[in-house]
């Protein structure tokens, strides 16, 4: 865990999403370093990196599920929020396959208490849809329909252009996809994309 006693001296790039937990700790994305950081709500206001490896960008697809979030390379990070249990959700978007550019967009979760990372929705799409929902375009890295996989497991769905997310009191997750001007839901009870 990397810490810094004074926030003013912490190296950080473009701050994007912000979120507060029930203890008043502030979480923010540092997109330049591809990390998520926390400013503790204490006298020292210590900054701690809680996900990603500073300056180490993932270029080969999603990895790290089941391991510590602080030991995993992440890419471009967008759309962060916390649920009522303190689990952190964020969008990991990037990777390169050498010909088509972006190769994945995945909603990921950092489990409160353990710091372990898991994927909640989306997949490494790489131009081939392998999910159980309705098929979609396989011509480009980003699906043309923007709703590939609805009706199937959220981890099989393809996501595109997600820029915001929210979680309700029942744990259902709502994703705003810019590309298709669509709000998609991940049902907490079934784990399905709707």
């Amino acid at each position: 865990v990397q810490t810094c006693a004074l926030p003013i001296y912490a190296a950080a790039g473009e701050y994007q999403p912000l979120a507060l937990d029930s203890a008043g700790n502030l979480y923010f994305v540092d997109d330049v370093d591809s990390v998520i950081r926390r400013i503790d709500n204490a006298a020292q206001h210590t900054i701690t990196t809680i996900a990603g490896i500073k300056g180490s960008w993932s270029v080969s697809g999603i990895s790290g599920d089941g391991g510590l979030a602080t030991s995993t390379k992440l890419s471009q990070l967008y759309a962060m929020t916390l649920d009522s249990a303190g689990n952190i959700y964020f969008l990991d978007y990037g990777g390169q396959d050498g010909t088509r550019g972006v190769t994945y967009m995945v909603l990921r979760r950092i489990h409160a208490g353990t710091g372990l990372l898991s994927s909640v929705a989306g997949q490494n799409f790489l131009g081939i849809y392998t999910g159980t929902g309705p098929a979609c375009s396989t011509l480009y890295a980003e699906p043309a329909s923007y709703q590939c996989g609805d009706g199937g497991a959220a981890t099989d769905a393809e996501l595109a252009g997600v820029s915001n997310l929210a979680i309700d009191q029942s744990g259902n997750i709502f994703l705003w996809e810019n590309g298709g001007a669509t709000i998609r839901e991940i049902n907490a009870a079934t784990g399905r994309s709707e």
Side-chain angles (χ1 to χ4, degrees):
V1 174
Q2 302 169 357
T3 61
C4 177
L6 296 173
I8 194 168
Y9 296 118
E14 299 175 15
Y15 299 162
Q16 295 197 359
L18 298 172
L20 284 171
D21 66 16
S22 59
N25 300 310
L26 177 66
Y27 297 81
F28 65 93
V29 164
D30 178 352
D31 191 45
V32 170
D33 286 329
S34 295
V35 296
I36 297 174
R37 295 180 170 175
R38 179 185 66 231
I39 301 176
D40 294 319
N41 184 24
Q44 296 296 317
H45 297 295
T46 301
I47 296 178
T48 304
T49 299
I50 60 162
I53 301 170
K54 181 181 175 183
S56 183
W57 228 53
S58 174
V59 295
S60 58
I62 291 295
S63 64
D65 279 354
L68 289 172
T70 52
S71 299
T72 302
K73 292 181 181 181
L74 303 173
S75 289
Q76 297 179 64
L77 308 177
Y78 296 97
M80 181 179 57
T81 194
L82 280 76
D83 66 15
S84 59
N87 299 307
I88 301 166
Y89 294 78
F90 65 95
L91 193 74
D92 191 359
Y93 172 80
Q96 301 288 327
D97 71 353
T99 58
R100 291 166 296 189
V102 173
T103 59
Y104 63 83
M105 179 176 286
V106 177
L107 179 65
R108 307 189 83 180
R109 174 177 54 223
I110 304 169
H111 295 261
T114 67
L116 297 178
L117 189 65
S118 62
S119 294
V120 177
Q123 61 173 323
N124 288 344
F125 35 91
L126 296 173
I128 301 175
Y129 175 64
T130 59
T132 56
C136 62
S137 170
T138 58
L139 295 176
Y140 304 102
E142 286 194 333
S145 72
Y146 294 98
Q147 294 172 334
C148 305
D150 280 355
T155 50
D156 287 340
E158 288 190 6
L159 306 176
V162 177
S163 63
N164 209 345
L165 64 103
I167 302 174
D168 69 15
Q169 292 298 318
S170 299
N172 300 306
I173 302 169
F174 299 88
L175 305 142
W176 167 251
E177 286 190 334
N178 285 338
T182 301
I183 295 175
R184 297 174 74 180
E185 178 183 357
I186 300 168
N187 187 293
T190 65
R192 297 174 73 86
S193 173
E194 301 175 351

